[in-house]
């Protein structure tokens, strides 16, 4: 199994706080890998490193054999052209129509003529079920439609890797399921490597081939979806069975917290 | 990407080899628009040796077809590899282009 991404001993801090504590894992090429874990486990921070938005304190991130953590900005920009990202809030530019949003990366990064770009934009909007919405502005769309438009823009440059940050966040279950179907469809046709950050169990079970689980900045599980489902690791069982975890605070610590000492 | 144009009595074959992507598709566009400019009645695109096509390549064909329809010209696809056919089907392009197994079939249709 060839790997698209290899993360080796990745460490990062927000201020003095160590967020990723030397994590290592691989993401197989051409598969859908889901990065899971509870809120605050470091999954979005990991994603930000994979797309080159954050630089690690130490460690490396090899994508198709090249360490993006060691790249200069120009090389990083070239790498970013080959990947697409759906951000949590879709990150559409509100002052532009959907068509202009989708066209933006093509106008910025290619020398394609406007007439060709217009056709690509219509194809991408159709791909995500938004034919005829090109002249709409983001504020005129529902949450699910915004996400679809975000996918159309992320797909504009025909990426080889697609990243999705919490695609179901803020969506009703039916719309979220529709988005999962779309991710599956895009993956099966375009054979891309897909990386999805989520904590939604129905999404994980529907779209994942491979699962990376994080807990408090460390990797707690790596394996196929089947292995994930069958795992007897306590942390995995707690996550799958949606059991609450009690915070353990000693009386002394609690006193310090409420007195601010 | 290599583009080779062969003019026959009733049709012109554009044989493409390699990868049609955002960088190479403008070259293909130049070739096709030249044929459009000459009002070539039937263009058959031989895709047998195409390893990869991206959205810009597909959009280039769509643009050429649109322009050819204005003078009732025909743009036909032949010898489409399975991988490309999958993308054509998914993008509903199998309903946009006439697709043939062999060049002769495209020529005789």
């Amino acid at each position: 199994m060839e790997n698209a991404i290899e993360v080796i001993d990745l460490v990062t801090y927000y201020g003095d706080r160590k967020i990723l504590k030397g994590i290592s894992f691989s993401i197989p090429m051409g598969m859908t890998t889901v990065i899971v874990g509870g809120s605050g486990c470091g999954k979005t921070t990991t994603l930000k490193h994979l797309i080159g938005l954050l630089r690690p304190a130490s460690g490396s991130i090899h994508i198709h054999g090249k360490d993006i953590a060691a790249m200069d900005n120009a090389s990083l920009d070239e790498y970013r052209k080959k990947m697409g990202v759906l951000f949590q809030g879709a990150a559409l530019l509100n002052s532009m129509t959907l068509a202009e949003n989708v066209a933006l990366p093509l106008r910025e990064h290619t020398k394609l003529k406007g007439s060709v770009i217009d056709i690509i934009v219509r194809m991408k909007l159709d791909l995500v079920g938004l034919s005829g919405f090109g002249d709409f502005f983001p504020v005129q769309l529902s949450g699910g439609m915004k996400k679809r438009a975000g996918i159309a823009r992320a797909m504009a440059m025909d990426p080889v890797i697609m990243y999705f940050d919490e695609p179901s966040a803020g969506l009703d279950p039916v719309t979220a399921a529709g988005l999962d179907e779309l991710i599956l469809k895009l993956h099966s046709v375009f054979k891309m490597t897909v990386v999805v950050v989520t904590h939604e169990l129905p999404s994980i079970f529907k779209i994942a081939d491979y699962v990376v689980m994080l807990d408090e900045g460390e990797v707690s599980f790596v394996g196929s979806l089947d292995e994930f489902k069958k795992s007897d690791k306590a942390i995995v069982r707690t996550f799958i069975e949606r059991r609450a975890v009690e915070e353990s605070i000693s009386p002394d610590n609690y006193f310090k917290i409420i007195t601010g000492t | 990407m290599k583009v080779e144009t062969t003019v026959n009595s009733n049709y012109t074959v554009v044989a493409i080899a390699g990868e049609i992507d955002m960088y190479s598709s403008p070259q293909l566009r130049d070739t096709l628009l030249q044929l459009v400019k000459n009002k070539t009645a039937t263009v058959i695109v031989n895709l047998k040796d195409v390893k990869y096509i991206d959205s810009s390549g597909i959009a280039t064909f769509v643009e050429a077809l649109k322009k050819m329809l204005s003078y009732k010209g025909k743009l036909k696809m032949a010898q489409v590899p399975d991988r490309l056919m999958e993308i054509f089907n998914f993008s509903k392009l199998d309903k946009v282009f006439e697709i043939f197994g062999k060049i002769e079939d495209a020529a005789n249709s």
Side-chain angles (χ1 to χ4, degrees):
Chain A
M1 188 165 61
E2 202 178 344
N3 289 324
I5 300 170
E6 281 180 57
V7 174
I8 302 164
D9 208 13
L10 186 67
V11 175
T12 200
Y13 292 85
Y14 287 152
D16 293 336
R17 200 166 154 228
K18 202 173 191 179
I19 303 296
L20 299 177
K21 302 166 184 171
I23 61 170
S24 300
F25 62 88
S26 301
I27 288 180
M29 185 119 47
M31 284 193 186
T32 297
T33 296
V34 177
I35 301 176
V36 305
S39 300
C41 70
K43 53 188 191 300
T44 296
T45 301
T46 303
L47 183 73
K48 284 179 178 168
H49 281 89
L50 296 181
I51 59 184
L53 286 180
L54 291 177
R55 299 275 191 175
S58 64
S60 56
I61 304 160
H62 295 269
I63 298 187
H64 295 155
K66 289 182 183 164
D67 183 7
I68 65 160
M71 275 181 187
D72 58 26
N73 286 338
S75 308
L76 204 52
D77 281 346
E78 276 308 304
Y79 153 68
R80 287 199 188 107
K81 288 179 195 172
K82 297 185 183 73
M83 62 174 206
V85 185
L86 174 67
F87 292 99
Q88 263 189 47
L92 298 167
L93 296 170
N94 286 328
S95 59
M96 291 181 167
T97 64
L98 289 199
E100 288 166 343
N101 265 284
V102 178
L104 190 63
L106 296 160
R107 295 198 199 285
E108 287 292 315
H109 300 302
T110 73
K111 291 180 177 162
L112 298 174
K113 298 286 181 194
S115 53
V116 174
I117 290 177
D118 289 346
I119 293 168
I120 297 175
V121 167
R122 284 191 212 103
M123 286 186 337
K124 300 296 175 183
L125 287 175
D126 183 64
L127 199 66
V128 298
L130 288 176
S131 273
F133 286 90
D135 292 334
F136 281 58
F137 286 89
V139 289
Q140 297 173 294
L141 303 180
S142 68
M145 289 164 93
K146 274 185 198 164
K147 299 261 178 163
R148 285 172 179 269
I151 294 175
R153 189 183 59 188
M155 293 282 296
M157 295 279 290
D158 292 332
V160 290
I161 303 179
M162 266 292 288
Y163 297 101
F164 295 83
D165 189 8
E166 305 270 8
S168 317
L171 300 180
D172 66 79
V174 176
T175 308
L179 213 59
D180 287 341
E181 288 288 347
L182 179 61
I183 294 170
L184 279 175
K185 198 166 78 168
L186 295 174
H187 174 247
S188 75
V189 174
F190 296 103
K191 318 287 184 212
M192 298 175 293
T193 300
V194 174
V195 181
V196 182
V197 163
T198 187
H199 53 231
E200 301 281 344
L201 285 171
S203 280
I204 297 165
F205 293 147
K206 192 165 187 176
I207 63 178
D209 298 313
Y210 202 70
V211 180
V212 175
M213 186 173 183
L214 300 180
D215 181 51
E216 294 185 4
E218 293 181 77
V219 174
S220 53
F221 175 89
V222 179
S224 68
L225 177 63
D226 211 34
E227 289 165 340
F228 183 67
K229 283 179 183 170
K230 289 176 183 161
S231 172
D232 54 8
K233 277 190 168 185
I235 186 90
V236 176
R237 299 297 350 144
T238 301
F239 185 82
I240 290 178
E241 289 158 21
R242 300 168 65 110
R243 287 200 297 259
V245 178
E246 291 242 356
E247 264 185 85
S248 57
I249 294 180
S250 70
D252 281 354
N253 281 344
Y254 184 62
F255 180 74
K256 282 179 189 169
I257 289 169
I258 60 172
T259 56
T261 51
Chain B
M1 182 192 70
K2 272 188 179 174
V3 182
E4 205 173 285
T5 306
T6 313
V7 181
N8 295 289
S9 52
N10 296 326
Y11 59 91
T12 296
V13 176
V14 176
I16 307 164
E19 299 190 348
I20 311 173
D21 60 20
M22 307 249 171
Y23 301 99
S24 61
S25 65
Q27 182 200 340
L28 172 65
R29 184 174 185 267
D30 289 345
T31 303
L32 293 174
L33 292 194
Q34 189 57 49
L35 295 169
V36 169
K37 199 176 162 193
N38 297 338
K39 293 202 170 11
T40 308
T42 303
V43 175
I44 301 171
V45 180
N46 184 354
L47 292 167
K48 183 169 75 82
D49 295 321
V50 172
K51 306 283 176 236
Y52 169 80
I53 185 166
D54 72 3
S55 306
S56 71
I58 291 168
T60 299
F61 288 130
V62 172
E63 185 195 24
L65 175 64
K66 188 181 163 193
K67 287 181 186 292
M68 289 180 77
L69 289 176
S70 68
Y71 63 88
K72 294 195 168 57
K74 288 190 169 181
L75 182 68
K76 302 174 181 181
M77 302 288 165
Q79 306 199 87
V80 184
D82 290 347
R83 180 75 198 99
L84 266 63
M85 200 60 217
E86 211 179 327
I87 293 170
F88 274 41
N89 291 339
F90 182 70
S91 314
K92 300 173 206 158
L93 291 168
D94 52 333
K95 293 174 177 61
V96 173
F97 296 109
E98 291 182 70
I99 297 172
F100 298 89
K102 295 177 185 168
I103 301 283
E104 302 80 64
D105 296 341
N108 295 329
S109 73

